[in-house]
């Protein structure tokens, strides 16, 4: 679950499942997932599940999630707000909430 606390009307997330040393070439349709748009939400919360099949624990720990935040705009397609890269190494079953600062899109 990702929680964002900034002024935004209709945010949505794009999630990419990347290898550790990622680049934009790996941001393929196969690895891309999209959340629902949170209409007119100043404090959006997503509690959505995405499935990636046929992954072992070792393969999973060698991956990174790229979480890109956009605002849906009435006059433009989407406005990029930032990206957080989330490492999947470590204990993902602990249920610990971790905050990540948004940065400019990685290259």
């Amino acid at each position: 679950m990702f929680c964002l606390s900034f002024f935004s009307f209709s945010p949505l997330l794009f999630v990419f499942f990347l290898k550790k040393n990622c680049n934009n070439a790996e941001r393929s349709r196969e690895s891309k997932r999209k959340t629902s748009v949170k209409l007119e939400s100043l404090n959006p919360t997503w509690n959505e599940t995405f499935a990636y099949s046929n992954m072992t624990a070792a393969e999973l720990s060698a991956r990174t999630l790229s979480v890109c935040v956009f605002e849906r705009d009435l006059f433009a397609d989407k406005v990029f707000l930032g990206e957080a890269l989330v490492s999947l190494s470590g204990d993902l079953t602990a249920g610990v909430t971790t905050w990540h600062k948004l940065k400019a899109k990685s290259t």
Side-chain angles (χ1 to χ4, degrees), residues 5-88:
S5 299
F6 58 87
F7 186 79
S8 181
F9 286 113
S10 299
L12 70 146
L13 303 178
F14 284 97
V15 179
F16 295 92
F17 197 50
L18 307 174
K19 294 179 183 173
K20 276 282 189 233
N21 298 319
C22 60
N23 58 45
N24 282 327
E26 293 182 36
R27 295 173 193 269
S28 66
R29 285 186 170 276
E30 293 80 29
S31 75
K32 180 180 176 180
R33 303 293 187 270
K34 183 178 109 172
T35 65
S36 60
V37 176
K38 300 299 181 184
L39 296 174
E40 299 180 13
S41 177
L42 298 177
N43 191 15
T45 299
W46 290 270
N47 189 12
E48 300 182 28
T49 303
F50 300 108
Y52 292 93
S53 59
N54 301 323
M55 297 294 292
T56 66
E59 291 171 320
L60 183 64
S61 68
R63 297 292 183 128
T64 298
L65 281 181
S66 166
V67 181
C68 298
V69 183
F70 290 85
E71 180 180 357
R72 194 180 84 179
D73 190 306
L74 294 176
F75 304 105
D77 184 25
K78 291 178 273 313
V79 177
F80 177 76
L81 300 176
E83 173 187 46
L85 294 175
V86 181
S87 173
L88 297 180

